Structure formats: C-alpha cells, structure tokens
Amino acid sequence: MRLLPLLLLLLAGAAARASDDPFLSGAANQSYNIDCGGAADFTSSFGRRWLADQFFSPGGAAEMVAEPHRFPQPQERTLRFFPPSSAGKSSCYSLPLPPGRYYLRIFSVYDNYDSKARTPSFDVSAAATLVLSFRSPWPEPAARYGAYSDLIFPSATEPASDVCFYSLSTDAPVVASIEVAPVHPLAYDGATTGADLVLVNYGRVTCGNSLFGPGFTKDPDAFARVWQADVDFRNNDLKYDAITAGGRKIFGSNQPPNYFPTKLYESAVTTGGDASNEIEYLMPVDARLSYMVWLHFAEIDAGIGAAGQRVFDVMLAGENVTRIDIFKQVGGFTAFKWTYVVENLTSSTLSVKLVPVVGRPILCGLENYAMVPLEMRTVPRQVAAMKALKESLKIPARMGWNGDPCAPRAWDAWEGVTCHRGDKGLVITQLDLASQGLKGFITDEISHLKDLVSLNLSYNSLTGSLPPGLGQPSLVSLDLSSNEFTGSIPGTIGSSKLQTALLNNNQLDGQVPERLYSIGVHGGVIDLSGNKGLCGVPTLPACALFWEKGGLNKTGKIALGASFGFVLLVILIAVYILCIRRGPYDYDFEFPQDLTSISAISAKRNRYQRAKSVMLAEMEAHSPEVYTNGSPH
C-alpha cells in the first residue's frame, strides 16, 4: 500500500483563539501535543501545552533541523529519528487513549538534519494499520519546510494506541510532532464506518481563500482541521472567479457532528469567462483504495433568490453522480454538505468536476479521504504474552519489538517473529531468536501462544528453569540448545506433534520424561547431550534409586513414608518407657553425677528400701476395717 502525505503547509504566524482549539483540552480529555525530540515541556504562542516525547517511550534519538530559524514554532525545529541499526525496523509512540475516534496530525520534516542530503523512506501506522508512506525523494517543499498529514482513526480497545514508524531499507524514519484529540463518534459518517476504517486526508481545500485553521491562523475550527488554499489542486486549463459572502451571516455551519467552520462557507469559486465553463479539481489518489468525497456549498450570491437559478451536475472520476440546486436544498447563505464514496478507480488522479446546467457552478470547499480498512490485529492474549516475553527475554531495542507483533502484515517488523491469520485474529506461529545475545528467562506466559509451531532460542545465555507452558500441543520444533537452563524437564513437553527437541548443552538435571524421549523412538530428533544431570534414558546414566522426573518416584515415596513411620514408632516407644511405665513412687529416676561406685549404688538402694517400709506402715495404719456377715474382721 502506497499512501502519500498530502497536506504540505507553509507555517503562518498569526495566533489562534484558544477557546476554539480542541487541542487545548489536555490529557483529561485525551488530547495530546507531543514535541518529538523536545527536551522539555512548553506552551506555544498559540496557547497549546506541548509535552516532551520522553513520556511516550519512543526510543530513537533526538535532533534539530539544519536551519531552525525558518521554523517559527519550537515543536517544528526538533525531530526524532529512528536508526534501524539501534532502534529496530519499527518504533512506536504509545498514546494513552480509551476507545473512541480521534483526529491525528503528524508533522514530518527532514531539512537535512543529518547532513546526508537524502530524504528517508518509511511507513507510518495507526491502529495497527498502514496509513502513510513517505518515499524518497520527497517533494522539495516537504523536505525543506515539512509535511503535515492528518487522519481520523478508531483507538484500540486497550489502554493505549500506538503510532508506529517503520524503516524501509536502512533509512531512519523521522517525525517532528504528533497531535491527537477526540472527535465526535458520528463525524464523517462514523455510524457506518467509524469502527472499521481509518480516514486519511488526501486533500482538504478552501475555495477562493487562503490557508486557515487553528494553530496556523486566528480562524477557528472546532475539529482542529487546517484548510489549504485550492490553487494547487485546480485544473489550470480552466478559468475561475472568486466570490465572497460580503459580510453576510452564514447559517447552518459549525454544527455537530462535523463542525465545519463558518469561514469555509464565506468564500467560493465559480467559473470565469464563458458561462459554459466547468470547475475541475484534480486530487492525487491511490487507485487501490476507495475515497469519501465531501463537497461544501453555500449560495453566497445575493443575486440568486430562487430555486432553479443555479443548477449543476457533479462528476466524480468521469461519472455523473448527482445534480445540485443549492437554493432548492437550503436557501441562501446557508451551509450545505454533500458526500459520496468513489470506488474502483483506474487512475492515480481523481477528477472532481462541476458541470453547469443553469447558471455557473459554485464550490466553497472540498475534502477527499482515503477509506483505509482496519487491518486484522494480533489476538490480544497473544499480544500480552509477547510483551511479557519481550521483558523476560530482555529483547534488545535493535530487534524492533514495538507495537502490534503481527500488524501491519506488510511490515514484518518484529525480528524473529512469524505470524499467520487465525480464526479470531493474527497469531504467532514461529519465534526464531537464535544467537541474539539474550540473557533473560522464559516466562510461563509463553503458554498463551497457542498456535506456536516452532521455537528456537538456541545459542543465547538464557537461565532459569523450563516453564510447563512450553508444552503447547501445536509445537513441532523446539530448540533451546546452548543456553544455561537449569532444573528438570517439565513432563508437559512432548506433545504428539513435537518432532524435534534440542535441549543439549544446558545444565538440566533429573529424569527425562518418557513422552519427550519417545520423540526419538518414533523417528523424531532429540538431543539431550551436554546436560550432566539428566538420566533415565538410553545414552544417559541411570537415575539414582528412588529418583524420577526431578524428584522421588513411587517406590522412593513409599520408602520415605516407611522410614518416617519407623522413626515415629521409636519415638512413641521411648515415650512409653520413660513416662507411662514409670511407677508412682519411682523417685530419683535421673541418676546423679556422683553415683559412680558400688558403694554409692548400695547406699541409694538402702535409702529407697527404708522409704518404702515407712510408706507401707503408714498405709496399713490407715486401712479401713473389713466386715463379713455384719461383723468386722
């Protein structure tokens, strides 16, 4: 897909009215002005608060344009570039946006910041969809003064949406500023297209007027749109006359959901010369896409006071699509909007032509939006799993693991990651990260990669134990060789599909699970060499008695239980002998330290006998009398 950033704007110096600028609402209303490459926050002369981009984790490096004195606004003088050698193929700004529709404007500038005199080629995505393509060489005005591109996109369902830049060849993508603000959910036919399309601006012009819009002139637009002068889009073989409303009030403008500004309808162009002349605008397009065309009219000629006095046909791409009588539709000095979707184009130029029927045609403004279908995204649970792996494996920035792992499909941005289309979205099917200098561990979140067919993490310095989650039933090939994994091999590894298991040259121990070893028995490839602690299968040492799968086997557990029971029995016998069998008069059961001779033992025995005799005598003296047949004995 090749899309062109069309909105080339030379900057104006007048101040805009703050109350009409939606980008002034701030983060509380999900509105952000990001100064890419800027070192500190600041407030511009237009009253906008600009944020340094360090808060949005962009990566890359900051730089300044070659001739900053030609750029009146501070956010246009700095830029951020992303060398693929250090930042990877894909670099992203993460924008904290809740679900909704948003207006996004990007300012890209080169101005020979790197002294190479060569503009870069790169792509831009929003909502995981390819939306813009910059191709070298840029047009000279864009290269020197910068290019503004804008679009309307639906945010992700997650807490943040990514705006990503993808390097083509070895070029470093560049961006100077990013602006985003929420828009009405029904704007630009949002009821039928909002959730499934990105609308990319391929031309927004005001007819018979000069450029205007908040942030560039004092003129308001509640949507923050900037309207270009139409002279660069006219068919210059035709003649045009400009007319104005002469100060008369325009009704029906600045209304929801699109909030088209009043100034747009205060001027217009009509045909010059012969009354049979036409109005024609030539809009560059990508013929592979469909386009939503918006035409803006207002009968601002006081000489037209009734229906039928100005009638003309609208022809798009050579097809007559409608006939318009502005006064019949809305009366005089009232805004009138008309939209149409153009499909199946065969040319890179879209002709918008107004052909007279009665009187001269008139046009106040024109918008042309490419209708870019949202691309399929990676299944959310797998996105979370991949982000967890990025942290646990300590993936370096040069590998470009940013944004959606699989989308846009044309990018192939995550190095070592292969994706395929699944039932509910894109899924990860292969991870090939061999010899990447990784020094982390494998998180058990890998278990959520339910479609993983091949995993190769060989020749790294990964540590820790192998998680049970490695036992995906989809896995066909597993290569974890030449790392520093420890512990036992989980019994979950070894599905019916697994054909290759290379775990050699690690520090694994314990008994090899039978289901894993059976891979080799059934014609697969298995290598467990170089692990001194593994045991229990042919070519490996026998496991120690009672040892199985990194722990005690059934026999060992029985033996351990029997040993514990025997010890407990001995303890109970000892307690019985020492406590229960001791008589009530067995005094001095602890032998004193001085009883070390025969005489001492004899003296002790005599004392014991004397004490016993005295006690017996006392018992006999106090014994009760016994009666037999009523008489005592």
Side-chain angles (χ1 to χ4, degrees):
M1 182 181 297
R2 179 180 174 86
L3 304 179
L4 302 175
L6 292 179
L7 191 54
L8 307 179
L9 303 175
L10 300 184
L11 305 180
R17 285 183 288 179
S19 60
D20 296 311
D21 189 346
F23 286 102
L24 295 176
S25 55
N29 194 34
Q30 292 82 50
S31 173
Y32 299 95
N33 306 298
I34 304 171
D35 178 19
C36 303
D41 299 352
F42 69 94
T43 300
S44 73
S45 58
F46 298 101
R48 290 184 175 182
R49 182 66 173 170
W50 286 86
L51 305 175
D53 64 351
Q54 60 183 322
F55 303 108
F56 300 90
S57 304
E63 193 51 87
M64 182 170 286
V65 295
E67 299 182 78
H69 62 276
R70 291 191 291 101
F71 295 85
Q73 297 301 319
Q75 72 274 7
E76 294 161 344
R77 303 168 194 159
T78 61
L79 59 85
R80 186 167 292 277
F81 67 102
F82 307 96
S85 59
S86 59
K89 298 286 287 185
S90 176
S91 299
C92 301
Y93 283 83
S94 183
L95 307 178
L97 302 175
R101 296 186 80 204
Y102 292 86
Y103 178 69
L104 175 70
R105 183 160 60 214
I106 297 173
F107 181 60
S108 298
V109 63
Y110 175 64
D111 194 37
N112 201 27
Y113 78 92
D114 57 1
S115 301
K116 295 181 178 179
R118 183 183 181 277
T119 52
S121 296
F122 61 92
D123 289 341
V124 183
S125 76
T129 299
L130 176 59
V131 292
L132 298 169
S133 290
F134 288 77
R135 293 295 186 269
S136 183
W138 298 10
E140 179 59 25
R144 185 166 184 176
Y145 296 101
Y148 276 90
S149 308
D150 65 75
L151 52 95
I152 301 168
F153 76 103
S155 77
T157 55
E158 300 177 2
S161 288
D162 294 323
V163 176
C164 299
F165 301 82
Y166 178 76
S167 171
L168 299 174
S169 184
T170 58
D171 290 351
V174 293
V175 60
S177 69
I178 297 175
E179 304 164 80
V180 62
V183 300
H184 196 290
L186 299 181
Y188 290 99
D189 201 18
T192 57
T193 64
D196 301 319
L197 290 175
V198 178
L199 299 180
V200 181
N201 173 23
Y202 264 62
R204 182 189 302 114
V205 300
T206 173
C207 299
N209 206 339
S210 58
L211 176 149
F212 75 90
F216 298 88
T217 72
K218 65 181 180 180
D219 305 289
D221 184 314
F223 210 128
R225 290 159 295 212
V226 175
W227 299 81
Q228 289 179 262
D230 64 339
V231 292
D232 291 332
F233 299 92
R234 293 177 183 173
N235 180 350
N236 291 322
D237 294 334
L238 303 174
K239 295 181 179 180
Y240 304 86
D241 286 337
I243 61 175
T244 67
R248 295 278 297 271
K249 182 178 180 180
I250 302 296
F251 298 93
S253 62
N254 199 32
Q255 298 295 312
N258 295 311
Y259 299 97
F260 294 120
T262 301
K263 185 177 180 65
L264 177 64
Y265 301 98
E266 292 177 338
S267 66
V269 295
T270 186
T271 58
D274 193 288
S276 63
N277 283 345
E278 303 168 344
I279 294 174
E280 184 177 26
Y281 287 88
L282 304 174
M283 314 299 293
V285 293
D286 182 337
R288 292 170 293 183
L289 298 173
S290 298
Y291 290 83
M292 181 183 291
V293 179
W294 287 73
L295 300 182
H296 300 275
F297 307 98
E299 186 52 78
I300 56 176
D301 185 348
I304 302 296
Q309 294 181 336
R310 190 195 304 275
V311 182
F312 53 89
D313 289 337
V314 177
M315 298 186 67
L316 298 178
E319 180 183 356
N320 193 329
V321 293
T322 191
R323 177 165 291 181
I324 289 180
D325 183 336
I326 303 171
F327 198 96
K328 181 179 180 180
Q329 293 288 337
V330 294
F333 295 92
T334 303
F336 173 59
K337 289 82 62 179
W338 179 85
T339 185
Y340 188 84
V341 174
V342 182
E343 300 176 308
N344 303 318
L345 293 172
T346 58
S347 171
S348 59
T349 300
L350 170 63
S351 170
V352 179
K353 184 182 296 186
L354 306 185
V355 180
V357 176
V358 177
R360 303 173 188 267
I362 188 175
L363 181 64
C364 294
L366 165 65
E367 296 176 272
N368 186 33
Y369 293 96
M371 304 173 67
V372 182
L374 279 180
E375 295 194 36
M376 180 177 285
R377 306 183 189 187
T378 307
V379 173
R381 196 65 192 88
Q382 296 202 14
V383 173
M386 291 298 288
K387 290 182 177 180
L389 276 173
K390 176 183 177 180
E391 296 298 322
S392 71
L393 296 176
K394 302 186 185 302
I395 299 293
R398 60 176 171 78
M399 296 185 69
W401 281 33
N402 300 300
D404 190 290
C406 302
R409 292 290 301 276
W411 282 8
D412 191 24
W414 285 42
E415 185 175 342
V417 179
T418 301
C419 304
H420 285 85
R421 187 186 185 100
D423 294 335
K424 298 181 179 180
L426 301 176
V427 295
I428 289 89
T429 56
Q430 181 175 337
L431 293 179
D432 187 355
L433 306 176
S435 303
Q436 294 292 344
L438 307 181
K439 297 182 179 180
F441 64 96
I442 304 176
T443 174
D444 199 47
E445 288 289 307
I446 198 172
S447 63
H448 295 291
L449 302 182
K450 302 293 186 182
D451 305 275
L452 192 62
V453 174
S454 175
L455 175 63
N456 186 355
L457 299 176
S458 61
Y459 292 94
N460 286 293
S461 299
L462 299 175
T463 60
S465 59
L466 303 183
L470 280 174
Q472 294 100 326
S474 60
L475 200 61
V476 174
S477 177
L478 176 65
D479 188 353
L480 304 180
S481 61
S482 299
N483 279 283
E484 301 173 16
F485 292 115
T486 58
S488 60
I489 301 174
T492 55
I493 299 179
S495 70
S496 59
K497 293 184 179 180
L498 192 60
Q499 299 176 6
T500 301
L502 305 180
L503 304 178
N504 52 295
N505 299 322
N506 280 285
Q507 300 172 25
L508 300 172
D509 57 28
Q511 183 165 340
V512 177
E514 293 180 5
R515 63 185 300 188
L516 178 63
Y517 179 71
S518 66
I519 296 172
V521 175
H522 293 91
V525 178
I526 182 170
D527 190 348
L528 304 173
S529 62
N531 291 280
K532 295 182 179 180
L534 290 179
C535 61
V537 297
T539 74
L540 294 178
C543 292
L545 186 63
F546 306 145
W547 185 263
E548 180 182 15
K549 297 181 182 178
L552 291 173
N553 60 18
K554 182 177 180 180
T555 305
K557 293 176 181 178
I558 293 175
L560 179 63
S563 300
F564 178 78
F566 177 76
V567 172
L568 180 61
L569 179 62
V570 171
I571 293 174
L572 291 175
I573 292 173
V575 171
Y576 176 77
I577 293 174
L578 295 177
C579 299
I580 300 176
R581 293 296 302 274
R582 179 175 57 85
Y585 305 109
D586 293 344
Y587 303 112
D588 298 332
F589 60 89
E590 291 185 0
F591 293 100
Q593 295 294 327
D594 58 347
L595 296 183
T596 58
S597 63
I598 297 299
S599 58
I601 294 174
S602 299
K604 179 68 176 180
R605 183 181 298 113
N606 292 336
R607 289 198 299 271
Y608 170 76
Q609 293 294 339
R610 287 197 299 272
K612 182 177 180 181
S613 300
V614 172
M615 292 170 64
L616 290 174
E618 291 179 352
M619 292 173 63
E620 291 174 356
H622 293 85
S623 296
E625 293 183 312
V626 180
Y627 290 87
T628 302
N629 295 327
S631 59
H633 290 274

